[in-house]
Amino acid sequence: MNAPLSSSPHLPADQRKALIVATVIELAAQQNPGQITTAAIAQRMNLSQGALFRHFPSKDAVWEAVMAWVAEELWARIEQQAQTGASPVAALDGIFTTHIDFVMSYPGVPRILFHELQREEETAAKARVRSFISRYRQCLSALFAQGKTDGEFSPLLPISAATTLFLGMIQGLVMQSLISGVALRNDDTTQSVFSLYLNCIRKNQ
């Protein structure tokens, strides 16, 4: 995704689609996603709109492909942290940091996400987001349940609420970054938010 965009007409279809997705995410970091047209995407890639439509039949299809890439890429990173964390607490720490780092690397992603979710009509891109969030919640719920069993978290911890607050914590940090116009950073302030959250759910010593 970080590779430079190529205007070569001889790229395999899969590589061309990946470059289109990358271009949309790049454009979204620089302008209102609602104003990104297929013409703007094609122009950025030195393609004709006809060439773009050979890979995606509509703008909605492009947006679905973007959300599919985000879901697959972010999920792979989250799943790795969940599986390799030495403990539920370590796994949650890794997931939090990984998610923040992902947003830092692709600042256009949350802008696209918030724009898409504001649309009244149902779209394939929205369905992708819902499926991803459902899988994310299941992963977090399993970690909270394991943490309760291991004695890391309070036995009274409400798992559904803890899961909602974890996701809300990240979404809140991202939203505040967008409101302030200051790029999200994985700094002491960001980490202190996670530490405060963790202190609230850990079992009292």
Side-chain angles (χ1 to χ4, degrees):
M1 183 62 72
N2 288 323
L5 300 180
S6 171
S7 58
S8 170
H10 305 299
L11 284 176
D14 287 348
Q15 289 185 31
R16 176 71 71 197
K17 288 180 178 180
L19 286 174
I20 292 170
V21 168
T23 300
V24 173
I25 293 174
E26 180 182 289
L27 286 170
Q30 302 166 1
Q31 66 184 82
N32 181 348
Q35 297 176 347
I36 298 175
T37 63
T38 52
I41 299 168
Q43 181 179 19
R44 186 63 165 260
M45 298 183 68
N46 295 318
L47 295 175
S48 67
Q49 279 187 276
L52 184 69
F53 286 131
R54 281 199 292 273
H55 298 288
F56 296 105
S58 66
K59 182 178 177 180
D60 280 348
V62 175
W63 251 236
E64 181 187 3
V66 171
M67 288 297 100
W69 180 85
V70 170
E72 292 168 7
E73 183 68 20
L74 183 53
W75 173 250
R77 302 182 189 199
I78 289 169
E79 188 176 39
Q80 181 181 26
Q81 294 299 324
Q83 294 177 350
T84 61
S87 68
V89 167
L92 287 172
D93 191 354
I95 290 171
F96 176 81
T97 299
T98 292
H99 198 150
I100 294 296
D101 287 346
F102 183 85
V103 175
M104 290 169 57
S105 297
Y106 304 104
V109 166
R111 294 168 63 90
I112 294 171
L113 179 61
F114 290 138
H115 172 265
E116 186 65 25
L117 293 178
Q118 289 181 72
R119 296 176 62 181
E120 292 184 4
E121 68 272 25
E122 289 299 318
T123 66
K126 276 188 179 181
R128 291 275 189 179
V129 174
R130 290 196 186 101
S131 177
F132 167 71
I133 293 297
S134 176
R135 187 162 49 167
Y136 200 160
R137 289 185 65 91
Q138 290 173 11
C139 173
L140 293 172
S141 295
L143 289 174
F144 289 128
Q146 187 62 51
K148 290 175 70 172
T149 299
D150 294 349
E152 284 193 292
F153 301 139
S154 166
L156 301 178
L157 178 69
I159 290 178
S160 179
T163 299
T164 298
L165 284 173
F166 184 93
L167 294 173
M169 173 175 55
I170 296 174
Q171 291 162 355
L173 287 166
V174 173
M175 181 62 77
Q176 289 184 62
S177 171
L178 292 175
I179 292 172
S180 68
V182 177
L184 183 66
R185 296 188 297 272
N186 194 4
D187 55 14
D188 290 342
T189 299
T190 300
Q191 286 299 319
S192 68
V193 171
F194 177 73
S195 295
L196 177 61
Y197 170 82
L198 198 58
N199 287 337
C200 291
I201 66 172
R202 295 190 79 163
K203 182 177 180 180
N204 294 329
Q205 301 299 321

